């Protein structure tokens, strides 16, 4: 097992034969286990029965050998499952729960880490454990979960809530794509009946933050494809702010952007023109542009191209219009000459049309050509078209770009080769091919110069000033959540199991009397499986066992079962599918009395007082600094400490600093 990615399989392992499972279906029902139990903990137990037991002791571990493909060469990866009891945890409270908004959840007794190590993390683990030649079968895998850079690392609390910590695809040296790894994780969560999964979205590609790129293009992060939605933000960003920021950036009109970029940057409008020409549909907003580029990049095969034809002879498909190519070419030439005569000034569409009518009497042809020439390259010129934000009319301008073109072709040119579902229309010229890599390069350029470098390019120019603020808000929304399996239907509280011999009872708990820690949220419902003829005393005993097993703070929980009720479950009143009726309420609500409540060390410490200028009241994982006088915590970014600067050894907040100013004049 010292090699993480294998091209061959051993016939037998030291402790028995190892089974191989297909990566593509692993985690589905029946692959390998029938994950049809009602609770996360029962499904997890079923899955681990098929794993190869690696180590025992304080932290048990299992491994699964997954087949990626057989041809042309066999490829396998190893998935480890490591059980981490609370006694082995560095911190009782889960920081990931705190940041995603679950800080008031009860502490669970165990975590279950699912890890596919990378070659680097596996090598680092083996080195930590005593050398490259050591056998992982004889080692504890406790150090493995502490390493960073795994292909996959996620963990579940024993109550079914969990966190996805890392996903690394091909760009990080993995033989698995990010989509393959994410599909595996999603199947595991669904099959095990996890409740909710949270993640800190730090996904990036070529230096681009994917939550911003995909947010602008699709209105959701990259993980949104698998159902992850906004959970919580940093720096005071709420869901309302996040959604408003997305809407603001996505709807920025390209015509307005192009109008202001004309005098500030010459390359960006040319690139915009290129992709507007490649698209069969009009690109109206920033969302349309990035969406089209992502789609184009995914459709283009590797090491292939599609023609840009910036300098190709104009060829407008005559099947789409009633004029011949010869008449279209003549009309284009007239329009270009009309624009030349105004010496590259912006003039209205009506002025261009009136000037061209002196030579072309067919107004329908002129309208068709003016519509087709918007933001197109013709010969050595770029025909710009933009909506005047003041007059609300279309304007045209001709820009000489001969010094930017690699070709010396002076014929009238434009782009009409259509992009459609990954297929390209090539010309016999064969020049100016656009590659998949070029699309990515242009996408990075737009990302940096429109979404990120907005101040240098645009400055405080009306609506475009929103791009920077909105992009920052989108990037500050980092925590996303997916709800997988959560009991919402209160009408289904009892389910017959095993042909009617057993009952699955969904129940939760409530404090019998006022409890000193009211901030702790009561746990969600759990499924208690008992015999159909079990007594209520047995039901309560099973509930005690289950909640003690799951939650560290309920290790000595005692259920109050002194109330008068029917002695057996099957003697309780059944109201069709309404479930078990108790005191007029659907289902079972168990009152518990805690004889001893375990407070963790963190709760005994003085809680941080967080009052930041951004509105944050709780820790969100970002760097903070504490005022040495009032002991109020604030984000370093919000108080002007740059990311690459060290936190000051002595820091005073603005309020305390202002109060100290008068004291400086005292003798």
């Amino acid at each position: 097992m010292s090699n993480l990615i294998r091209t061959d399989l051993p016939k037998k392992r030291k402790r028995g034969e190892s089974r191989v499972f297909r990566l593509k279906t692993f985690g589905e029902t029946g692959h390998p286990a029938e994950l049809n139990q009602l609770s996360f903990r029962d499904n997890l137990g079923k899955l681990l029965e098929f794993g190869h037991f690696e180590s025992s002791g304080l932290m048990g571990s299992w491994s699964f050998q997954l087949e990626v493909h057989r041809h042309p060469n066999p490829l396998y990866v190893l998935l480890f499952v490591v059980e981490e009891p609370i006694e082995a945890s560095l911190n009782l409270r889960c920081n990931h729960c705190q940041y995603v908004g679950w800080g008031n959840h009860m502490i669970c007794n165990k975590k279950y880490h699912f890890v596919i190590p990378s070659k680097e993390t596996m090598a680092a683990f083996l080195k930590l454990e005593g050398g490259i030649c050591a056998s992982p079968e004889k080692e504890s895998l406790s150090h493995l979960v502490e390493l960073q850079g795994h292909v996959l690392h996620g963990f579940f609390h024993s109550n079914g809530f969990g966190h996805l910590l890392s996903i690394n695809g091909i760009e990080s040296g993995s033989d698995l794509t990010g989509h393959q790894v994410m599909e595996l994780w999603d199947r595991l969560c669904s099959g095990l009946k996890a409740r909710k999964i949270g993640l800190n979205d730090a996904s990036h590609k070529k230096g681009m933050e994917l939550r911003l790129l995909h947010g602008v293009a699709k209105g959701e992060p990259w993980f949104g494809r698998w159902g992850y939605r906004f959970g919580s933000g940093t720096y005071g960003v709420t869901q309302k702010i996040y959604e408003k920021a997305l809407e603001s950036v996505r709807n920025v009109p390209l015509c307005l952007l192009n109008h202001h970029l004309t005098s500030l940057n010459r390359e960006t409008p040319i690139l915009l023109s290129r992709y507007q020409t490649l698209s069969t549909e009009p690109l109206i907003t920033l969302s349309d542009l990035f969406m089209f580029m992502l789609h184009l990049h995914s459709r283009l095969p590797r090491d292939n191209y599609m023609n840009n034809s910036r300098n190709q002879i104009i060829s407008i498909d005559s099947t789409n219009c009633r004029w011949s190519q010869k008449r279209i070419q003549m009309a284009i030439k007239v329009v270009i000459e009309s624009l030349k005569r105004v010496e590259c000034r912006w003039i209205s569409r009506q002025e261009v049309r009136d000037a061209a009518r002196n030579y072309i009497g067919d107004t329908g042809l002129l309208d068709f050509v003016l519509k087709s020439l918007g933001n197109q390259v013709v010969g050595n010129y770029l025909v710009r078209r933009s909506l005047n934000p003041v007059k609300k009319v279309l304007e045209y301008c001709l820009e000489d770009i001969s010094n930017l073109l690699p070709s010396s072709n002076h014929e009238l040119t434009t782009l009409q080769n259509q992009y459609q579902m990954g297929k390209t229309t090539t010309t016999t010229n064969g020049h100016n091919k656009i590659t998949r890599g070029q699309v990515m390069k242009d996408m990075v350029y737009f990302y940096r110069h429109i979404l990120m470098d907005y101040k240098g390019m645009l400055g405080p120019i009306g609506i475009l000033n929103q791009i920077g603020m909105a992009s920052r808000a989108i990037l500050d929304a980092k925590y996303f959540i997916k709800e997988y399996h959560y009991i919402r239907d209160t009408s289904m509280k009892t389910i017959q199991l095993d042909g009617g011999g057993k009952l699955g009872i969904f129940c939760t708990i409530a404090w019998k009397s006022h409890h000193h820690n009211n901030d702790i949220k009561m746990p969600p419902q759990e499924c208690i499986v008992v015999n159909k003829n079990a007594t209520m005393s047995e039901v309560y005993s099973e509930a005690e066992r289950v909640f003690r097993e799951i939650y560290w703070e309920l290790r000595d929980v005692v259920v109050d079962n002194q109330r008068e009720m029917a002695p057996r479950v099957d003697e309780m009143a059944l109201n069709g599918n309404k479930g078990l009726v108790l005191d007029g309420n659907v289902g079972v609500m168990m009152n518990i009395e805690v004889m001893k409540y375990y407070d963790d060390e963190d709760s005994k410490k003085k809680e941080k007082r967080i009052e930041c200028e951004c509105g944050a009241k709780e820790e969100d994982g970002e760097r903070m600094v504490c005022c040495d006088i009032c002991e109020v915590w604030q984000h370093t970014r919000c108080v002007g400490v740059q990311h690459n600067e060290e936190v000051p050894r002595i820091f005073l907040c603005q309020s305390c600093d202002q109060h100290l100013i008068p004291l400086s004049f005292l003798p």
Side-chain angles (χ1 to χ4, degrees), residues 621-656:
E622 301 298 335
R623 192 173 65 157
M624 288 187 167
V625 61
C626 179
C627 176
D628 290 295
I629 294 181
C630 65
E631 297 185 350
V632 171
W633 290 80
Q634 300 179 74
H635 292 116
T636 54
R637 191 181 89 181
C638 297
V639 297
V641 180
Q642 300 300 320
H643 179 70
N644 56 355
E645 295 180 6
E646 294 185 0
V647 177
R649 298 180 63 179
I650 298 177
F651 173 76
L652 300 182
C653 67
Q654 185 177 4
S655 176
C656 293

CSV table of all heavy atoms in Angstrom, one decimal, residues 621-656:
chain,number,residue,atom,x,y,z
A,621,GLY,N,-13.5,32.5,10.8
A,621,GLY,CA,-12.3,31.8,10.2
A,621,GLY,C,-11.3,32.8,9.6
A,621,GLY,O,-10.2,32.4,9.3
A,622,GLU,N,-11.6,34.1,9.6
A,622,GLU,CA,-10.7,35.1,9.1
A,622,GLU,C,-9.8,35.7,10.2
A,622,GLU,O,-10.2,35.6,11.4
A,622,GLU,CB,-11.5,36.3,8.4
A,622,GLU,CG,-12.3,35.8,7.2
A,622,GLU,CD,-11.5,35.2,6.1
A,622,GLU,OE1,-10.3,35.5,6.0
A,622,GLU,OE2,-12.1,34.4,5.3
A,623,ARG,N,-8.7,36.2,9.8
A,623,ARG,CA,-7.7,36.7,10.8
A,623,ARG,C,-8.3,37.9,11.6
A,623,ARG,O,-8.9,38.8,11.0
A,623,ARG,CB,-6.4,37.1,10.2
A,623,ARG,CG,-5.3,37.4,11.2
A,623,ARG,CD,-4.0,37.6,10.4
A,623,ARG,NE,-4.0,38.8,9.6
A,623,ARG,CZ,-2.8,39.4,9.3
A,623,ARG,NH1,-1.7,39.0,9.6
A,623,ARG,NH2,-2.9,40.5,8.5
A,624,MET,N,-8.1,37.9,12.9
A,624,MET,CA,-8.7,39.0,13.8
A,624,MET,C,-7.6,39.5,14.7
A,624,MET,O,-6.5,38.9,14.9
A,624,MET,CB,-9.8,38.5,14.6
A,624,MET,CG,-11.1,38.2,13.8
A,624,MET,SD,-12.5,37.9,14.9
A,624,MET,CE,-13.9,38.0,13.7
A,625,VAL,N,-7.8,40.7,15.2
A,625,VAL,CA,-6.9,41.3,16.2
A,625,VAL,C,-7.8,41.9,17.3
A,625,VAL,O,-8.9,42.3,17.1
A,625,VAL,CB,-6.1,42.5,15.5
A,625,VAL,CG1,-7.0,43.6,15.0
A,625,VAL,CG2,-5.1,43.1,16.5
A,626,CYS,N,-7.2,41.8,18.5
A,626,CYS,CA,-7.9,42.2,19.7
A,626,CYS,C,-7.4,43.5,20.2
A,626,CYS,O,-6.2,43.7,20.3
A,626,CYS,CB,-7.8,41.1,20.8
A,626,CYS,SG,-8.6,41.5,22.4
A,627,CYS,N,-8.3,44.4,20.6
A,627,CYS,CA,-7.9,45.7,21.2
A,627,CYS,C,-7.4,45.4,22.6
A,627,CYS,O,-8.0,44.7,23.4
A,627,CYS,CB,-9.1,46.6,21.3
A,627,CYS,SG,-8.8,48.2,22.1
A,628,ASP,N,-6.2,46.0,23.0
A,628,ASP,CA,-5.6,45.7,24.2
A,628,ASP,C,-6.3,46.4,25.4
A,628,ASP,O,-5.9,46.2,26.6
A,628,ASP,CB,-4.1,46.2,24.2
A,628,ASP,CG,-3.3,45.2,23.3
A,628,ASP,OD1,-3.2,44.1,23.7
A,628,ASP,OD2,-2.8,45.7,22.2
A,629,ILE,N,-7.2,47.3,25.1
A,629,ILE,CA,-8.0,48.0,26.2
A,629,ILE,C,-9.3,47.4,26.4
A,629,ILE,O,-9.7,46.9,27.5
A,629,ILE,CB,-8.0,49.5,25.9
A,629,ILE,CG1,-6.6,50.1,25.9
A,629,ILE,CG2,-8.9,50.2,26.9
A,629,ILE,CD1,-6.6,51.6,25.6
A,630,CYS,N,-10.2,47.5,25.4
A,630,CYS,CA,-11.6,47.0,25.5
A,630,CYS,C,-11.7,45.5,25.2
A,630,CYS,O,-12.8,44.9,25.5
A,630,CYS,CB,-12.5,47.8,24.6
A,630,CYS,SG,-12.2,47.6,22.9
A,631,GLU,N,-10.7,44.9,24.7
A,631,GLU,CA,-10.7,43.4,24.4
A,631,GLU,C,-11.7,43.0,23.4
A,631,GLU,O,-12.3,41.9,23.4
A,631,GLU,CB,-10.8,42.6,25.7
A,631,GLU,CG,-9.6,42.8,26.6
A,631,GLU,CD,-9.7,41.9,27.8
A,631,GLU,OE1,-10.8,41.3,28.0
A,631,GLU,OE2,-8.8,41.8,28.6
A,632,VAL,N,-12.1,43.9,22.5
A,632,VAL,CA,-13.0,43.6,21.4
A,632,VAL,C,-12.2,43.2,20.2
A,632,VAL,O,-11.2,43.8,19.8
A,632,VAL,CB,-13.9,44.9,21.1
A,632,VAL,CG1,-14.7,44.6,19.8
A,632,VAL,CG2,-14.8,45.2,22.2
A,633,TRP,N,-12.7,42.1,19.5
A,633,TRP,CA,-12.0,41.6,18.4
A,633,TRP,C,-12.6,42.1,17.1
A,633,TRP,O,-13.8,42.3,17.0
A,633,TRP,CB,-12.1,40.0,18.4
A,633,TRP,CG,-11.3,39.4,19.5
A,633,TRP,CD1,-11.7,39.2,20.8
A,633,TRP,CD2,-10.0,38.7,19.3
A,633,TRP,NE1,-10.7,38.6,21.5
A,633,TRP,CE2,-9.7,38.2,20.6
A,633,TRP,CE3,-9.2,38.5,18.3
A,633,TRP,CZ2,-8.5,37.6,20.8
A,633,TRP,CZ3,-8.0,37.9,18.5
A,633,TRP,CH2,-7.6,37.4,19.8
A,634,GLN,N,-11.7,42.4,16.1
A,634,GLN,CA,-12.1,42.9,14.8
A,634,GLN,C,-11.2,42.2,13.8
A,634,GLN,O,-10.1,41.8,14.0
A,634,GLN,CB,-11.9,44.4,14.7
A,634,GLN,CG,-12.8,45.2,15.7
A,634,GLN,CD,-12.6,46.7,15.5
A,634,GLN,OE1,-13.1,47.3,14.6
A,634,GLN,NE2,-11.8,47.3,16.5
A,635,HIS,N,-11.7,42.2,12.5
A,635,HIS,CA,-10.9,41.6,11.4
A,635,HIS,C,-9.8,42.6,11.1
A,635,HIS,O,-9.9,43.8,11.1
A,635,HIS,CB,-11.8,41.5,10.1
A,635,HIS,CG,-12.9,40.5,10.2
A,635,HIS,ND1,-14.2,40.8,10.2
A,635,HIS,CD2,-12.8,39.1,10.4
A,635,HIS,CE1,-14.9,39.7,10.2
A,635,HIS,NE2,-14.1,38.7,10.4
A,636,THR,N,-8.6,42.0,10.9
A,636,THR,CA,-7.4,42.8,10.6
A,636,THR,C,-7.7,43.6,9.3
A,636,THR,O,-7.2,44.7,9.1
A,636,THR,CB,-6.2,41.9,10.4
A,636,THR,OG1,-6.5,40.8,9.5
A,636,THR,CG2,-5.8,41.3,11.7
A,637,ARG,N,-8.4,43.0,8.3
A,637,ARG,CA,-8.7,43.7,7.1
A,637,ARG,C,-9.5,44.9,7.3
A,637,ARG,O,-9.4,45.9,6.6
A,637,ARG,CB,-9.3,42.7,6.1
A,637,ARG,CG,-9.4,43.3,4.6
A,637,ARG,CD,-10.1,42.3,3.7
A,637,ARG,NE,-11.6,42.5,3.7
A,637,ARG,CZ,-12.4,41.8,3.0
A,637,ARG,NH1,-12.0,40.8,2.3
A,637,ARG,NH2,-13.7,42.0,3.0
A,638,CYS,N,-10.5,44.8,8.2
A,638,CYS,CA,-11.4,45.9,8.5
A,638,CYS,C,-10.7,47.1,9.2
A,638,CYS,O,-11.2,48.2,9.1
A,638,CYS,CB,-12.6,45.4,9.3
A,638,CYS,SG,-13.6,44.1,8.4
A,639,VAL,N,-9.6,46.8,9.9
A,639,VAL,CA,-9.0,47.9,10.6
A,639,VAL,C,-7.7,48.4,9.9
A,639,VAL,O,-6.9,49.1,10.4
A,639,VAL,CB,-8.6,47.4,12.0
A,639,VAL,CG1,-9.8,47.1,12.9
A,639,VAL,CG2,-7.6,46.2,12.0
A,640,GLY,N,-7.5,47.9,8.6
A,640,GLY,CA,-6.5,48.4,7.8
A,640,GLY,C,-5.2,47.7,7.8
A,640,GLY,O,-4.2,48.1,7.2
A,641,VAL,N,-5.1,46.5,8.5
A,641,VAL,CA,-3.9,45.7,8.5
A,641,VAL,C,-4.0,44.8,7.2
A,641,VAL,O,-4.9,43.9,7.1
A,641,VAL,CB,-3.8,44.8,9.7
A,641,VAL,CG1,-2.6,44.0,9.7
A,641,VAL,CG2,-3.8,45.7,11.0
A,642,GLN,N,-3.0,44.9,6.3
A,642,GLN,CA,-3.0,44.2,5.1
A,642,GLN,C,-2.7,42.7,5.4
A,642,GLN,O,-2.2,42.3,6.4
A,642,GLN,CB,-2.0,44.7,4.1
A,642,GLN,CG,-2.2,46.2,3.8
A,642,GLN,CD,-3.5,46.4,3.1
A,642,GLN,OE1,-4.0,45.6,2.3
A,642,GLN,NE2,-4.2,47.5,3.4
A,643,HIS,N,-3.1,41.9,4.4
A,643,HIS,CA,-3.0,40.4,4.5
A,643,HIS,C,-1.6,40.0,4.7
A,643,HIS,O,-1.3,39.0,5.5
A,643,HIS,CB,-3.6,39.7,3.3
A,643,HIS,CG,-3.5,38.3,3.4
A,643,HIS,ND1,-4.3,37.5,4.3
A,643,HIS,CD2,-2.8,37.4,2.7
A,643,HIS,CE1,-4.0,36.2,4.1
A,643,HIS,NE2,-3.1,36.1,3.1
A,644,ASN,N,-0.7,40.7,4.1
A,644,ASN,CA,0.8,40.3,4.2
A,644,ASN,C,1.5,41.0,5.3
A,644,ASN,O,2.7,40.8,5.5
A,644,ASN,CB,1.5,40.6,2.8
A,644,ASN,CG,1.3,42.0,2.4
A,644,ASN,OD1,0.6,42.8,3.1
A,644,ASN,ND2,2.0,42.4,1.4
A,645,GLU,N,0.8,41.7,6.1
A,645,GLU,CA,1.4,42.4,7.3
A,645,GLU,C,1.2,41.6,8.6
A,645,GLU,O,0.2,40.9,8.7
A,645,GLU,CB,0.8,43.8,7.5
A,645,GLU,CG,1.1,44.7,6.3
A,645,GLU,CD,0.5,46.1,6.6
A,645,GLU,OE1,-0.1,46.3,7.7
A,645,GLU,OE2,0.6,47.0,5.6
A,646,GLU,N,2.1,41.7,9.5
A,646,GLU,CA,1.9,41.0,10.8
A,646,GLU,C,1.0,41.8,11.6
A,646,GLU,O,0.8,43.0,11.5
A,646,GLU,CB,3.3,40.9,11.5
A,646,GLU,CG,4.3,40.0,10.8
A,646,GLU,CD,5.6,39.8,11.6
A,646,GLU,OE1,5.6,40.4,12.7
A,646,GLU,OE2,6.5,39.1,11.1
A,647,VAL,N,0.3,41.1,12.5
A,647,VAL,CA,-0.6,41.7,13.5
A,647,VAL,C,0.2,42.5,14.5
A,647,VAL,O,1.2,42.1,15.0
A,647,VAL,CB,-1.5,40.6,14.2
A,647,VAL,CG1,-2.4,41.3,15.2
A,647,VAL,CG2,-2.3,39.8,13.2
A,648,PRO,N,-0.2,43.8,14.7
A,648,PRO,CA,0.5,44.6,15.6
A,648,PRO,C,0.6,44.0,17.0
A,648,PRO,O,-0.4,43.4,17.5
A,648,PRO,CB,-0.3,45.9,15.6
A,648,PRO,CG,-1.1,45.9,14.4
A,648,PRO,CD,-1.4,44.5,14.1
A,649,ARG,N,1.7,44.2,17.7
A,649,ARG,CA,1.9,43.6,19.0
A,649,ARG,C,1.0,44.3,20.0
A,649,ARG,O,0.5,43.8,21.0
A,649,ARG,CB,3.4,43.7,19.4
A,649,ARG,CG,4.3,42.9,18.5
A,649,ARG,CD,5.8,43.0,19.0
A,649,ARG,NE,5.9,42.4,20.3
A,649,ARG,CZ,7.1,42.4,20.9
A,649,ARG,NH1,8.2,42.9,20.3
A,649,ARG,NH2,7.2,41.9,22.1
A,650,ILE,N,0.8,45.6,19.8
A,650,ILE,CA,-0.1,46.4,20.6
A,650,ILE,C,-1.1,47.1,19.7
A,650,ILE,O,-0.7,47.8,18.7
A,650,ILE,CB,0.7,47.5,21.4
A,650,ILE,CG1,1.7,46.8,22.4
A,650,ILE,CG2,-0.3,48.4,22.2
A,650,ILE,CD1,2.5,47.8,23.2
A,651,PHE,N,-2.3,46.9,19.9
A,651,PHE,CA,-3.4,47.4,19.0
A,651,PHE,C,-4.5,48.1,19.8
A,651,PHE,O,-4.9,47.5,20.8
A,651,PHE,CB,-3.9,46.3,18.2
A,651,PHE,CG,-5.1,46.7,17.4
A,651,PHE,CD1,-4.9,47.4,16.2
A,651,PHE,CD2,-6.4,46.4,17.8
A,651,PHE,CE1,-6.0,47.8,15.5
A,651,PHE,CE2,-7.5,46.8,17.0
A,651,PHE,CZ,-7.3,47.5,15.8
A,652,LEU,N,-4.9,49.2,19.4
A,652,LEU,CA,-6.0,50.0,20.0
A,652,LEU,C,-7.0,50.2,18.9
A,652,LEU,O,-6.7,50.6,17.8
A,652,LEU,CB,-5.6,51.3,20.5
A,652,LEU,CG,-4.5,51.3,21.6
A,652,LEU,CD1,-4.2,52.7,22.1
A,652,LEU,CD2,-4.9,50.5,22.8
A,653,CYS,N,-8.3,49.9,19.2
A,653,CYS,CA,-9.3,50.1,18.2
A,653,CYS,C,-9.6,51.6,18.1
A,653,CYS,O,-9.1,52.4,18.9
A,653,CYS,CB,-10.6,49.4,18.7
A,653,CYS,SG,-11.4,50.0,20.2
A,654,GLN,N,-10.3,52.0,17.1
A,654,GLN,CA,-10.6,53.4,16.8
A,654,GLN,C,-11.3,54.1,18.0
A,654,GLN,O,-10.9,55.2,18.3
A,654,GLN,CB,-11.4,53.5,15.6
A,654,GLN,CG,-11.6,55.0,15.1
A,654,GLN,CD,-12.4,55.0,13.8
A,654,GLN,OE1,-12.8,54.0,13.3
A,654,GLN,NE2,-12.5,56.3,13.3
A,655,SER,N,-12.2,53.4,18.6
A,655,SER,CA,-12.9,54.0,19.7
A,655,SER,C,-12.0,54.3,20.9
A,655,SER,O,-12.0,55.4,21.5
A,655,SER,CB,-14.1,53.1,20.2
A,655,SER,OG,-14.8,53.6,21.3
A,656,CYS,N,-11.2,53.3,21.3
A,656,CYS,CA,-10.3,53.5,22.4
A,656,CYS,C,-9.2,54.5,22.1
A,656,CYS,O,-8.8,55.3,23.0
A,656,CYS,CB,-9.7,52.2,22.8
A,656,CYS,SG,-10.8,51.0,23.5
